[in-house]
mmCIF file of all heavy atoms in Angstrom:
data_model
loop_
_atom_site.group_PDB
_atom_site.id
_atom_site.type_symbol
_atom_site.label_atom_id
_atom_site.label_comp_id
_atom_site.label_asym_id
_atom_site.label_seq_id
_atom_site.Cartn_x
_atom_site.Cartn_y
_atom_site.Cartn_z
ATOM 1 N N SER A 69 -4.540 -57.800 -87.412
ATOM 2 C CA SER A 69 -3.754 -57.875 -88.785
ATOM 3 C C SER A 69 -4.325 -58.960 -89.449
ATOM 4 O O SER A 69 -4.280 -60.136 -88.993
ATOM 5 C CB SER A 69 -2.242 -57.913 -88.484
ATOM 6 O OG SER A 69 -1.740 -56.820 -87.795
ATOM 7 N N VAL A 70 -4.820 -58.773 -90.742
ATOM 8 C CA VAL A 70 -5.434 -59.874 -91.522
ATOM 9 C C VAL A 70 -4.178 -60.298 -92.394
ATOM 10 O O VAL A 70 -3.687 -59.447 -93.277
ATOM 11 C CB VAL A 70 -6.519 -59.289 -92.490
ATOM 12 C CG1 VAL A 70 -7.086 -60.401 -93.427
ATOM 13 C CG2 VAL A 70 -7.609 -58.845 -91.534
ATOM 14 N N LEU A 71 -3.812 -61.531 -92.282
ATOM 15 C CA LEU A 71 -2.712 -61.999 -92.885
ATOM 16 C C LEU A 71 -2.762 -62.382 -94.390
ATOM 17 O O LEU A 71 -3.821 -62.827 -94.951
ATOM 18 C CB LEU A 71 -2.142 -63.359 -92.226
ATOM 19 C CG LEU A 71 -1.783 -63.154 -90.664
ATOM 20 C CD1 LEU A 71 -1.144 -64.491 -90.215
ATOM 21 C CD2 LEU A 71 -0.902 -62.024 -90.498
ATOM 22 N N ALA A 72 -1.679 -62.073 -95.130
ATOM 23 C CA ALA A 72 -1.668 -62.283 -96.606
ATOM 24 C C ALA A 72 -1.099 -63.711 -96.857
ATOM 25 O O ALA A 72 -0.606 -64.333 -95.891
ATOM 26 C CB ALA A 72 -0.739 -61.246 -97.219
ATOM 27 N N HIS A 73 -1.298 -64.297 -98.023
ATOM 28 C CA HIS A 73 -1.017 -65.687 -98.464
ATOM 29 C C HIS A 73 0.465 -65.977 -98.139
ATOM 30 O O HIS A 73 0.805 -67.060 -97.964
ATOM 31 C CB HIS A 73 -1.272 -65.769 -99.922
ATOM 32 C CG HIS A 73 -0.329 -65.191 -100.756
ATOM 33 N ND1 HIS A 73 -0.426 -63.784 -101.018
ATOM 34 C CD2 HIS A 73 0.693 -65.591 -101.479
ATOM 35 C CE1 HIS A 73 0.563 -63.470 -101.984
ATOM 36 N NE2 HIS A 73 1.318 -64.616 -102.243
ATOM 37 N N ASP A 74 1.405 -65.019 -98.104
ATOM 38 C CA ASP A 74 2.825 -65.210 -97.907
ATOM 39 C C ASP A 74 3.109 -65.111 -96.437
ATOM 40 O O ASP A 74 4.358 -65.042 -96.077
ATOM 41 C CB ASP A 74 3.636 -64.395 -98.790
ATOM 42 C CG ASP A 74 3.507 -62.939 -98.480
ATOM 43 O OD1 ASP A 74 2.539 -62.593 -97.665
ATOM 44 O OD2 ASP A 74 4.232 -62.074 -99.031
ATOM 45 N N GLN A 75 2.235 -65.191 -95.576
ATOM 46 C CA GLN A 75 2.436 -65.060 -94.082
ATOM 47 C C GLN A 75 2.103 -66.300 -93.251
ATOM 48 O O GLN A 75 1.883 -66.333 -92.170
ATOM 49 C CB GLN A 75 1.766 -63.782 -93.515
ATOM 50 C CG GLN A 75 2.273 -62.413 -93.979
ATOM 51 C CD GLN A 75 1.503 -61.295 -93.520
ATOM 52 O OE1 GLN A 75 0.314 -61.177 -93.595
ATOM 53 N NE2 GLN A 75 2.323 -60.413 -92.847
ATOM 54 N N ARG A 76 2.394 -67.430 -93.966
ATOM 55 C CA ARG A 76 2.193 -68.699 -93.283
ATOM 56 C C ARG A 76 2.988 -68.864 -92.001
ATOM 57 O O ARG A 76 2.603 -69.414 -90.928
ATOM 58 C CB ARG A 76 2.380 -69.954 -94.160
ATOM 59 C CG ARG A 76 1.251 -70.051 -95.256
ATOM 60 C CD ARG A 76 1.572 -71.206 -96.093
ATOM 61 N NE ARG A 76 0.714 -71.152 -97.312
ATOM 62 C CZ ARG A 76 0.208 -72.220 -98.003
ATOM 63 N NH1 ARG A 76 0.912 -73.392 -97.613
ATOM 64 N NH2 ARG A 76 -0.576 -72.173 -98.976
ATOM 65 N N GLU A 77 4.310 -68.522 -92.233
ATOM 66 C CA GLU A 77 5.264 -68.768 -91.118
ATOM 67 C C GLU A 77 4.837 -67.836 -89.958
ATOM 68 O O GLU A 77 4.940 -68.136 -88.782
ATOM 69 C CB GLU A 77 6.655 -68.497 -91.614
ATOM 70 C CG GLU A 77 7.250 -69.513 -92.496
ATOM 71 C CD GLU A 77 8.734 -69.260 -92.954
ATOM 72 O OE1 GLU A 77 9.318 -68.408 -92.202
ATOM 73 O OE2 GLU A 77 9.060 -69.744 -93.924
ATOM 74 N N THR A 78 4.405 -66.676 -90.274
ATOM 75 C CA THR A 78 3.816 -65.771 -89.203
ATOM 76 C C THR A 78 2.751 -66.298 -88.469
ATOM 77 O O THR A 78 2.675 -66.272 -87.257
ATOM 78 C CB THR A 78 3.467 -64.291 -89.849
ATOM 79 O OG1 THR A 78 4.740 -63.842 -90.538
ATOM 80 C CG2 THR A 78 2.932 -63.363 -88.727
ATOM 81 N N SER A 79 1.789 -66.888 -89.213
ATOM 82 C CA SER A 79 0.616 -67.452 -88.536
ATOM 83 C C SER A 79 1.125 -68.665 -87.571
ATOM 84 O O SER A 79 0.579 -68.794 -86.566
ATOM 85 C CB SER A 79 -0.351 -68.034 -89.631
ATOM 86 O OG SER A 79 -1.354 -68.705 -89.029
ATOM 87 N N THR A 80 1.975 -69.385 -88.122
ATOM 88 C CA THR A 80 2.461 -70.594 -87.385
ATOM 89 C C THR A 80 3.162 -70.156 -86.037
ATOM 90 O O THR A 80 2.976 -70.742 -84.994
ATOM 91 C CB THR A 80 3.395 -71.494 -88.207
ATOM 92 O OG1 THR A 80 2.712 -71.934 -89.348
ATOM 93 C CG2 THR A 80 3.919 -72.620 -87.400
ATOM 94 N N LEU A 81 3.932 -69.008 -86.287
ATOM 95 C CA LEU A 81 4.749 -68.575 -84.946
ATOM 96 C C LEU A 81 3.695 -67.902 -84.000
ATOM 97 O O LEU A 81 3.869 -68.256 -82.912
ATOM 98 C CB LEU A 81 5.753 -67.410 -85.610
ATOM 99 C CG LEU A 81 6.297 -66.627 -84.502
ATOM 100 C CD1 LEU A 81 7.395 -67.456 -83.569
ATOM 101 C CD2 LEU A 81 7.109 -65.425 -84.985
ATOM 102 N N PHE A 82 2.727 -67.097 -84.432
ATOM 103 C CA PHE A 82 1.744 -66.584 -83.608
ATOM 104 C C PHE A 82 0.736 -67.598 -83.009
ATOM 105 O O PHE A 82 0.101 -67.431 -82.100
ATOM 106 C CB PHE A 82 1.041 -65.415 -84.180
ATOM 107 C CG PHE A 82 1.883 -64.234 -84.109
ATOM 108 C CD1 PHE A 82 2.867 -63.946 -85.024
ATOM 109 C CD2 PHE A 82 1.633 -63.262 -83.151
ATOM 110 C CE1 PHE A 82 3.664 -62.672 -85.126
ATOM 111 C CE2 PHE A 82 2.399 -62.103 -83.061
ATOM 112 C CZ PHE A 82 3.347 -61.823 -84.018
ATOM 113 N N GLY A 83 0.708 -68.782 -83.615
ATOM 114 C CA GLY A 83 -0.168 -69.931 -83.121
ATOM 115 C C GLY A 83 0.432 -70.831 -82.089
ATOM 116 O O GLY A 83 -0.186 -71.657 -81.400
ATOM 117 N N ARG A 84 1.768 -70.593 -81.901
ATOM 118 C CA ARG A 84 2.548 -71.370 -80.939
ATOM 119 C C ARG A 84 2.528 -70.687 -79.548
ATOM 120 O O ARG A 84 2.775 -69.562 -79.529
ATOM 121 C CB ARG A 84 4.028 -71.549 -81.202
ATOM 122 C CG ARG A 84 4.253 -72.700 -82.076
ATOM 123 C CD ARG A 84 5.743 -72.910 -82.260
ATOM 124 N NE ARG A 84 6.095 -73.195 -83.618
ATOM 125 C CZ ARG A 84 6.923 -72.429 -84.435
ATOM 126 N NH1 ARG A 84 7.616 -71.522 -83.945
ATOM 127 N NH2 ARG A 84 7.136 -72.714 -85.680
ATOM 128 N N GLY A 85 2.391 -71.417 -78.465
ATOM 129 C CA GLY A 85 2.508 -70.713 -77.108
ATOM 130 C C GLY A 85 3.841 -70.637 -76.782
ATOM 131 O O GLY A 85 4.804 -71.288 -77.117
ATOM 132 N N GLY A 86 4.124 -69.507 -76.043
ATOM 133 C CA GLY A 86 5.408 -69.344 -75.491
ATOM 134 C C GLY A 86 6.461 -68.786 -76.402
ATOM 135 O O GLY A 86 7.608 -68.432 -75.882
ATOM 136 N N ALA A 87 6.230 -68.495 -77.512
ATOM 137 C CA ALA A 87 7.169 -68.205 -78.507
ATOM 138 C C ALA A 87 7.374 -66.595 -78.381
ATOM 139 O O ALA A 87 6.470 -65.875 -77.987
ATOM 140 C CB ALA A 87 6.851 -68.355 -79.987
ATOM 141 N N ASP A 88 8.589 -66.090 -78.659
ATOM 142 C CA ASP A 88 8.832 -64.616 -78.732
ATOM 143 C C ASP A 88 8.426 -64.254 -80.200
ATOM 144 O O ASP A 88 9.277 -64.160 -80.950
ATOM 145 C CB ASP A 88 10.220 -64.253 -78.332
ATOM 146 C CG ASP A 88 10.452 -62.780 -78.376
ATOM 147 O OD1 ASP A 88 9.536 -61.978 -78.529
ATOM 148 O OD2 ASP A 88 11.620 -62.351 -78.212
ATOM 149 N N ARG A 89 7.207 -63.907 -80.220
ATOM 150 C CA ARG A 89 6.525 -63.685 -81.547
ATOM 151 C C ARG A 89 7.113 -62.500 -82.292
ATOM 152 O O ARG A 89 7.177 -62.466 -83.552
ATOM 153 C CB ARG A 89 5.110 -63.808 -81.522
ATOM 154 C CG ARG A 89 4.576 -65.053 -80.855
ATOM 155 C CD ARG A 89 3.130 -65.140 -80.386
ATOM 156 N NE ARG A 89 2.821 -66.368 -79.941
ATOM 157 C CZ ARG A 89 1.943 -66.468 -78.915
ATOM 158 N NH1 ARG A 89 1.550 -65.490 -78.244
ATOM 159 N NH2 ARG A 89 1.593 -67.693 -78.425
ATOM 160 N N PHE A 90 7.301 -61.430 -81.605
ATOM 161 C CA PHE A 90 7.498 -60.182 -82.228
ATOM 162 C C PHE A 90 9.051 -59.864 -82.439
ATOM 163 O O PHE A 90 9.364 -58.940 -83.246
ATOM 164 C CB PHE A 90 7.022 -59.029 -81.383
ATOM 165 C CG PHE A 90 5.527 -58.908 -81.540
ATOM 166 C CD1 PHE A 90 4.607 -59.515 -80.734
ATOM 167 C CD2 PHE A 90 4.976 -58.091 -82.645
ATOM 168 C CE1 PHE A 90 3.275 -59.448 -80.865
ATOM 169 C CE2 PHE A 90 3.598 -57.923 -82.778
ATOM 170 C CZ PHE A 90 2.715 -58.602 -81.921
ATOM 171 N N SER A 91 9.906 -60.641 -81.916
ATOM 172 C CA SER A 91 11.302 -60.359 -82.113
ATOM 173 C C SER A 91 11.768 -60.601 -83.573
ATOM 174 O O SER A 91 12.787 -59.952 -84.077
ATOM 175 C CB SER A 91 12.209 -61.315 -81.219
ATOM 176 O OG SER A 91 12.006 -62.731 -81.567
ATOM 177 N N SER A 92 11.155 -61.512 -84.270
ATOM 178 C CA SER A 92 11.489 -61.771 -85.774
ATOM 179 C C SER A 92 10.475 -61.266 -86.719
ATOM 180 O O SER A 92 10.427 -61.491 -87.831
ATOM 181 C CB SER A 92 11.776 -63.117 -85.859
ATOM 182 O OG SER A 92 10.583 -63.944 -85.729
ATOM 183 N N THR A 93 9.366 -60.497 -86.262
ATOM 184 C CA THR A 93 8.212 -60.046 -87.030
ATOM 185 C C THR A 93 8.302 -58.589 -87.110
ATOM 186 O O THR A 93 8.110 -57.971 -86.047
ATOM 187 C CB THR A 93 6.984 -60.550 -86.411
ATOM 188 O OG1 THR A 93 7.017 -62.000 -86.214
ATOM 189 C CG2 THR A 93 5.723 -60.236 -87.232
ATOM 190 N N PRO A 94 8.366 -57.977 -88.196
ATOM 191 C CA PRO A 94 8.273 -56.469 -88.431
ATOM 192 C C PRO A 94 6.928 -56.008 -88.048
ATOM 193 O O PRO A 94 5.949 -56.606 -88.572
ATOM 194 C CB PRO A 94 8.580 -56.200 -89.843
ATOM 195 C CG PRO A 94 9.196 -57.419 -90.403
ATOM 196 C CD PRO A 94 8.642 -58.656 -89.493
ATOM 197 N N TRP A 95 6.807 -54.916 -87.309
ATOM 198 C CA TRP A 95 5.528 -54.505 -86.757
ATOM 199 C C TRP A 95 5.688 -52.913 -86.556
ATOM 200 O O TRP A 95 6.681 -52.394 -86.477
ATOM 201 C CB TRP A 95 5.055 -55.192 -85.647
ATOM 202 C CG TRP A 95 5.835 -54.899 -84.429
ATOM 203 C CD1 TRP A 95 6.986 -55.664 -83.983
ATOM 204 C CD2 TRP A 95 5.581 -54.097 -83.302
ATOM 205 N NE1 TRP A 95 7.553 -55.248 -82.924
ATOM 206 C CE2 TRP A 95 6.661 -54.189 -82.343
ATOM 207 C CE3 TRP A 95 4.657 -53.035 -82.978
ATOM 208 C CZ2 TRP A 95 6.725 -53.407 -81.123
ATOM 209 C CZ3 TRP A 95 4.770 -52.389 -81.784
ATOM 210 C CH2 TRP A 95 5.829 -52.555 -80.888
#
Side-chain angles (χ1 to χ4, degrees):
S69 297
V70 178
L71 300 186
H73 74 281
D74 59 354
Q75 292 181 302
R76 289 179 189 206
E77 288 180 22
T78 301
S79 174
T80 300
L81 175 66
F82 279 81
R84 275 192 225 124
D88 183 5
R89 299 167 178 142
F90 284 91
S91 65
S92 62
T93 306
W95 64 281

